[in-house]
Amino acid sequence: MTRFLSRWLVLTIAAGVMVALLPGMEAVGEPPVLGIAAFSLFLALINASIKPVVQLIALPISILSFGLFALILNWLFMELASWLAMSLFDVGVIIHGFLWAVLGSLIMAIVSGLVNAVIGD
């Protein structure tokens, strides 16, 4: 359980940096960190539960597309996390397009790696 909570904290920090840097991402909630935390909670749940299975099933398509299909999967998972947070809690992160989701995924991966290196996850 502590591993999941630390992963959620790391994703919340990464999502906060992503929203702060990208104009195509918008945090909804009062305070905005509440929306970012809800979005990252659902993203952590998706990453822990269905993402590995979907990536394994989609592996042949990802190989044939030289990994471009993985970008589409990341976009879909970010949209799903955003939709779940908005529909269940009325807070979250609004993603204004595929390109912003791809850039957001890159920023989240870099920041998550840096934060994991600092806290020693």
Side-chain angles (χ1 to χ4, degrees):
M1 186 67 169
T2 56
R3 176 148 167 75
F4 178 78
L5 290 175
S6 68
R7 185 69 188 145
W8 180 28
L9 176 66
V10 168
L11 280 175
T12 302
I13 293 168
V17 171
M18 173 190 70
V19 168
L21 291 178
L22 296 178
M25 301 281 184
E26 179 182 346
V28 176
E30 194 56 46
V33 73
L34 187 63
I36 294 169
F39 169 76
S40 63
L41 171 67
F42 285 110
L43 199 58
L45 288 171
I46 289 168
N47 286 345
S49 60
I50 64 172
K51 188 174 182 178
V53 174
V54 172
Q55 284 182 330
L56 183 64
I57 292 170
L59 184 61
I61 299 170
S62 291
I63 290 171
L64 289 174
S65 68
F66 299 108
L68 293 178
F69 191 69
L71 293 175
I72 294 171
L73 286 178
N74 280 341
W75 169 62
L76 290 174
F77 290 136
M78 287 179 76
E79 288 288 341
L80 178 61
S82 175
W83 178 77
L84 285 169
M86 292 296 288
S87 63
L88 292 176
F89 299 130
D90 291 329
V91 296
V93 174
I94 297 174
I95 303 165
H96 295 288
F98 176 73
L99 178 63
W100 295 115
V102 171
L103 292 173
S105 293
L106 291 172
I107 289 172
M108 286 187 71
I110 291 168
V111 173
S112 293
L114 291 173
V115 173
N116 278 329
V118 169
I119 67 169
D121 188 25

